[in-house]
Amino acid sequence: MLTVEEALAKILDEVAPLGAESVPLLEAQGQVLAEDIISGVNVPPLDNSAMDGFAVAWEDTQGASGISPKTLTVIDTVMAGALSKKAVTPGTAVRIMTGAPVPTGATAVVQFEDTDDAQRKAAGQPDDEVNIYEPAKDGLNIRRAGESVAEGETVLRAGVTIRPSEIGVAASVGRKEVKVIRRPVVAVLSTGDELVEIGEKLPEGKIYDSNLYSIASLVQRTGCFARVLGIAEDNEKSLVEKLEQARDADLLITTGGVSMGDYDMVKDILDRDGEMVFWKVRVKPGKPLAFGKIKGRDGRSIPHLGLPGNSVSCMVSFELFVRPALLKMMGRENVDKPTVDAILEEDVKNNAGRRVYDRAIITRRDGSYYARLTGPQGSGILTSMTQANGLVLIPEENQKMSKGETVKALMLDWNEAYNI
Ligand code: AMP
Ligand code: MG
């Protein structure tokens, strides 16, 4: 039986980054940039003020203090987005707002707080003069043209994953669209005669189809489009019919129908209509994982991951095997889940002789991570996944790991809700 690493390597071998497309900037979040972005402008475009205050010739302020201010004549006001038509000459100042271009001749900006501007206003005195109380150094409070980005500079490189800061940088140089690796379209199909679509009445002996929803939302969270195909019955006709809608997808995920009893059906279809790469991985939960390829339209070959039907197993299998494949298709270099070393807070058994991934609650105290299990680890107990923020890895050769030992924990959720 394949190890987790062997199985993952086989899957990753069969998938490649998808092609690039141009998308509106706001749709690019989470995608990998497929071009270098070179600025056609200086940011900022002109020298501008970092403060609300007075643009002055710095020499005019030398020796200024509270008891012996320097008095300058105010010749103009310039707001952000406007240009002053006046030049600052010795003895003069221009009232200037943050972001406004610095007038010709000005070499520093003195903030309002270091002048008598507020007192004048309060006393209703004329504002055609200002007293400066502090000496300014050359260049004080002036942001230089091209200080953030110089024209011709590469601001973002192909290969980066686009986050809000990358979106902001692209916008700051005026980009409306960016070229990115396109998002995979992932067909998701549940199999099982026992399954009923949510919203319908539940006949005796049936269960609601939850896998379709947990898997489709994992697909979405990974940044892909989920094409929800619904439920196929446990017969060839129904399955083949449903698979028709997957023939132009980039990847197909099915759940169920791969354990001993049902396995032959999925296998028959893959054999006839595609190719089986492997079945079964030395892992718990999730042993009956099938990986193959089905024939798509126009001679395409679509990777197919047949996840186990148990609702926890299919989610864990997604994290271990599907997510890395999708990330590779999206052009990501690193496809590993964030992992921490955590100290076990209880003894953990492994009777399976397989690699075990137990659902766990990972917390941090005094700079160390700790892991405790969510409780019973039955692979159908989906509510346990709602308590878990990680999976602890118990190696295949360990029959037990004891409280106090350090384990690897794969972080499923890494956010402020868990205070880690
Ligand atoms: P299977 O792999 O098809 O043998 O299914 C294993 C177990 O998972 C059975 O108890 C199924 O009822 C359950 N199961 C299969 N598919 C789903 C699903 N889509 N939603 C919830 N449970 C499922
Ligand atoms: Mg089944």
Side-chain angles (χ1 to χ4, degrees):
M1 216 184 301
L2 296 177
T3 64
V4 170
E5 284 73 23
E6 288 164 348
L8 181 58
K10 280 187 189 290
I11 295 169
L12 292 178
D13 262 0
E14 298 286 346
V15 299
L18 302 179
E21 63 179 5
S22 280
V23 296
L25 189 54
L26 263 187
E27 288 171 24
Q29 182 157 205
Q31 285 178 274
V32 169
L33 191 62
E35 61 171 337
D36 286 344
I37 296 201
I38 296 162
S39 178
V41 294
N42 276 320
V43 183
L46 298 170
D47 289 0
N48 70 91
S49 179
M51 287 284 180
D52 294 331
F54 289 91
V56 299
W58 72 274
E59 296 91 339
D60 278 352
T61 66
Q62 298 314 289
S65 70
I67 29 173
S68 111
K70 297 285 177 183
T71 305
L72 300 175
T73 308
V74 179
I75 56 171
D76 197 9
T77 295
V78 56
M79 312 296 278
L83 291 171
S84 173
K85 288 186 192 69
K86 306 246 174 74
V88 169
T89 50
T92 70
V94 166
R95 173 185 282 270
I96 191 166
M97 302 306 143
T98 304
V102 172
T104 315
T107 50
V109 172
V110 179
Q111 60 177 355
F112 284 144
E113 292 83 341
D114 294 335
T115 71
D116 67 346
D117 183 73
Q119 291 103 289
R120 275 174 195 275
K121 275 210 189 95
Q125 285 167 347
D127 58 5
D128 56 351
E129 279 196 337
V130 64
N131 282 331
I132 306 287
Y133 293 139
E134 289 282 340
K137 287 209 177 78
D138 190 9
L140 180 74
N141 294 327
I142 294 179
R143 300 189 287 219
R144 296 295 172 195
E147 180 180 282
S148 302
V149 176
E151 187 181 334
E153 192 179 318
T154 301
V155 285
L156 297 173
R157 295 212 177 268
V160 301
T161 300
I162 298 177
R163 302 167 302 167
S165 47
E166 281 73 24
I167 290 188
V169 165
S172 75
V173 300
R175 290 294 294 253
K176 201 172 156 68
E177 296 203 327
V178 285
K179 211 168 150 194
V180 292
I181 309 276
R182 70 179 178 82
R183 296 180 194 275
V185 174
V186 182
V188 186
L189 177 65
S190 297
T191 71
D193 286 341
E194 74 279 33
L195 301 178
V196 170
E197 174 63 66
I198 53 171
E200 287 178 17
K201 209 167 165 308
L202 198 62
E204 209 174 44
K206 307 279 182 182
I207 58 169
Y208 284 122
D209 172 11
S210 59
N211 293 352
L212 194 68
Y213 294 90
S214 54
I215 296 300
S217 58
L218 282 167
V219 165
Q220 290 171 340
R221 180 150 90 171
T222 309
C224 308
F225 296 114
R227 182 181 297 167
V228 176
L229 303 187
I231 302 165
E233 291 160 22
D234 284 323
N235 61 69
E236 201 173 313
K237 181 172 167 289
S238 173
L239 193 58
V240 169
E241 219 172 81
K242 285 283 182 189
L243 287 183
E244 272 316 303
Q245 299 168 55
R247 305 246 180 235
D248 60 351
D250 296 303
L251 186 127
L252 165 68
I253 302 173
T254 57
T255 74
V258 287
S259 53
M260 274 299 181
D262 296 326
Y263 164 63
D264 283 346
M265 188 189 61
V266 173
K267 181 176 174 286
D268 280 353
I269 284 164
L270 276 178
D271 278 348
R272 200 191 58 203
D273 207 25
E275 181 195 332
M276 189 71 151
V277 178
F278 67 75
W279 175 49
K280 284 194 181 175
V281 183
R282 203 175 159 204
V283 64
K284 184 185 176 188
K287 180 169 81 172
L289 179 90
F291 175 57
K293 290 177 281 180
I294 66 160
K295 288 198 192 92
R297 268 190 265 292
D298 312 324
R300 302 159 66 123
S301 165
I302 301 169
H304 166 223
L305 280 134
L307 308 185
N310 278 314
S311 48
V312 172
S313 311
C314 74
M315 288 192 79
V316 171
S317 305
F318 180 96
E319 299 285 4
L320 297 180
F321 301 106
V322 188
R323 182 177 178 274
L326 292 177
L327 292 180
K328 184 174 178 193
M329 293 168 85
M330 294 170 77
R332 299 279 185 85
E333 290 279 324
N334 184 359
V335 300
D336 300 333
K337 263 285 184 212
T339 300
V340 298
D341 288 330
I343 299 163
L344 276 177
E345 293 182 289
E346 60 187 289
D347 293 351
V348 179
K349 286 206 201 87
N350 175 3
N351 299 325
R354 291 176 259 157
R355 168 88 54 84
V356 169
Y357 290 91
D358 277 331
R359 281 139 271 163
I361 299 160
I362 315 294
T363 51
R364 194 183 58 187
R365 295 191 299 278
D366 304 326
S368 295
Y369 292 100
Y370 292 87
R372 63 179 192 277
L373 302 195
T374 53
Q377 296 287 317
S379 55
I381 309 173
L382 189 54
T383 48
S384 65
M385 283 298 279
T386 65
Q387 294 158 40
N389 62 341
L391 298 170
V392 291
L393 185 165
I394 312 300
E396 30 281 73
E397 60 277 8
N398 290 42
Q399 290 177 347
K400 181 188 163 190
M401 287 192 73
S402 306
K403 182 177 172 178
E405 281 192 84
T406 298
V407 287
K408 291 258 172 266
L410 273 65
M411 300 308 295
L412 297 175
D413 281 290
W414 191 298
N415 62 40
E416 43 286 286
Y418 297 95
N419 193 27
I420 50 173

